[in-house]
């Protein structure tokens, strides 16, 4: 199906482990984003990408790594997960326009024990 | 430092009445504003937007008002319906930094019969 999909939808891991959250979009949108949603903080931007091989930091990038070798994929890696990274993670994409309507995936709920 | 603030975490409104959701921002460079709606276990979806050159934008039951001098925007829903029960996020992007969309903390709206 067309759209933006995230996997896994749910993940439980332990402190110190590496975790990768996958994001795939079928629209060929130039821009892709990773947000985390936490109570009291709303949605905070982690990283974003304007095109393949172009990434940039958002508001809360520490502890995360991204890559974008293909336009349609934008994985987010937690190299050594910490409890503070327990959150719901949303991937989003949009076309290359100034008025940025984002299209979000359904989210990945990550619990770090 | 929260640049976009939604000071009311929750709002309860009777069906048929008006719902008013408020949002304040601190960055005077913000020039484009959006509202997103989020149901549980789903990603946010775009609702309505407004450019800083306007002070009002209307789409059916939804109207967004922008007061630039007060750095304040509001979303009016008239009449409110039970299906409007969701979390509403306001978001903003800045002139010259349009890649990033900064979200507020969200307001949970409950519309009861």
């Amino acid at each position: 199906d067309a759209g933006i999909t995230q996997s896994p939808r749910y993940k439980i891991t332990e402190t110190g482990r590496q975790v990768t959250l996958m994001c795939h979009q079928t629209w060929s949108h130039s821009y892709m984003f990773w947000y985390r949603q936490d109570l009291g903080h709303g949605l905070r931007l982690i990283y974003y990408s304007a095109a393949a091989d172009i990434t940039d930091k958002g508001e809360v990038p520490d502890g995360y790594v991204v890559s974008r070798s293909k336009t349609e994929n934008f994985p987010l890696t937690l190299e050594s997960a910490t409890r503070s990274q327990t959150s719901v993670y949303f991937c989003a994409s949009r076309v290359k326009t100034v008025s940025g309507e984002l299209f979000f995936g359904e989210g990945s709920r990550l619990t770090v024990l | 430092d929260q640049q976009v603030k939604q000071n009311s975490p929750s709002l309860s409104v009777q069906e048929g009445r008006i719902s008013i959701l408020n949002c304040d921002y601190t960055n005077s460079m913000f020039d484009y504003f959006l509202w997103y709606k989020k149901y549980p276990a789903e990603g946010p979806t775009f609702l309505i937007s407004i450019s800083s050159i306007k002070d009002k934008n209307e789409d059916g039951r939804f109207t967004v008002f922008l007061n630039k001098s007060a750095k304040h925007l509001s979303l009016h829903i008239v009449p409110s319906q039970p299906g409007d029960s969701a979390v509403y996020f306001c978001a903003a992007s800045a002139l010259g930094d349009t890649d990033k969309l900064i979200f507020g903390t969200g307001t949970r709206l409950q519309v009861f019969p």
Side-chain angles (χ1 to χ4, degrees):
Chain A
D1 290 338
I4 184 164
T5 55
Q6 295 183 229
S7 62
R9 294 291 311 278
Y10 302 92
K11 176 75 176 178
I12 299 175
T13 190
E14 295 177 338
T15 301
R17 292 195 179 257
Q18 182 179 81
V19 176
T20 296
L21 305 180
M22 304 300 294
C23 179
H24 176 79
Q25 53 107 353
T26 60
W27 294 304
S28 297
H29 284 170
S30 298
Y31 282 81
M32 295 188 75
F33 304 82
W34 275 106
Y35 284 88
R36 59 179 288 176
Q37 183 191 5
D38 304 287
L39 194 63
H41 292 281
L43 291 160
R44 291 182 292 176
L45 180 62
I46 305 170
Y47 269 96
Y48 67 101
S49 169
D53 297 322
I54 301 174
T55 62
D56 207 347
K57 296 178 180 179
E59 302 168 88
V60 288
D62 294 343
Y64 302 94
V65 175
V66 293
S67 62
R68 195 163 175 211
S69 58
K70 293 183 178 182
T71 300
E72 61 266 30
N73 296 325
F74 191 39
L76 176 74
T77 297
L78 290 66
E79 292 192 307
S80 178
T82 65
R83 289 181 181 160
S84 64
Q85 293 177 309
T86 292
S87 186
V88 181
Y89 291 85
F90 289 98
C91 180
S93 70
R94 69 166 171 87
V95 296
K96 191 177 179 180
T97 59
V98 171
S99 55
E101 177 188 340
L102 297 181
F103 294 88
F104 283 85
E106 294 184 309
S108 295
R109 180 176 292 276
L110 175 68
T111 301
V112 183
L113 301 176
Chain B
D1 183 28
Q2 194 78 33
Q3 298 184 69
V4 180
K5 302 177 184 178
Q6 295 175 255
N7 292 318
S8 298
S10 63
L11 176 67
S12 187
V13 173
Q14 188 172 30
E15 181 178 6
R17 308 293 287 265
I18 184 171
S19 295
I20 300 176
L21 293 90
N22 294 303
C23 180
D24 296 295
Y25 61 94
T26 58
N27 188 343
S28 58
M29 295 300 289
F30 285 153
D31 70 336
Y32 196 77
F33 304 88
L34 306 89
W35 284 93
Y36 281 78
K37 177 179 178 180
K38 184 184 178 306
Y39 292 118
E42 295 184 9
T45 55
F46 171 75
L47 190 58
I48 192 169
S49 63
I50 188 167
S51 165
S52 61
I53 62 173
K54 295 184 176 181
D55 55 16
K56 176 182 174 181
N57 189 28
E58 195 171 352
D59 183 3
R61 297 185 297 114
F62 302 91
T63 302
V64 56
F65 295 91
L66 176 62
N67 182 335
K68 291 185 291 293
S69 61
K71 295 190 178 67
H72 177 83
L73 66 155
S74 60
L75 174 68
H76 293 209
I77 306 174
V78 184
S80 301
Q81 299 174 354
D84 295 330
S85 297
V87 177
Y88 290 79
F89 292 98
C90 66
S93 66
L95 185 67
D97 195 11
T98 54
D99 289 350
K100 298 178 185 176
L101 198 58
I102 305 300
F103 283 80
T105 50
T107 296
R108 181 178 300 278
L109 173 66
Q110 183 179 10
V111 181
F112 59 92

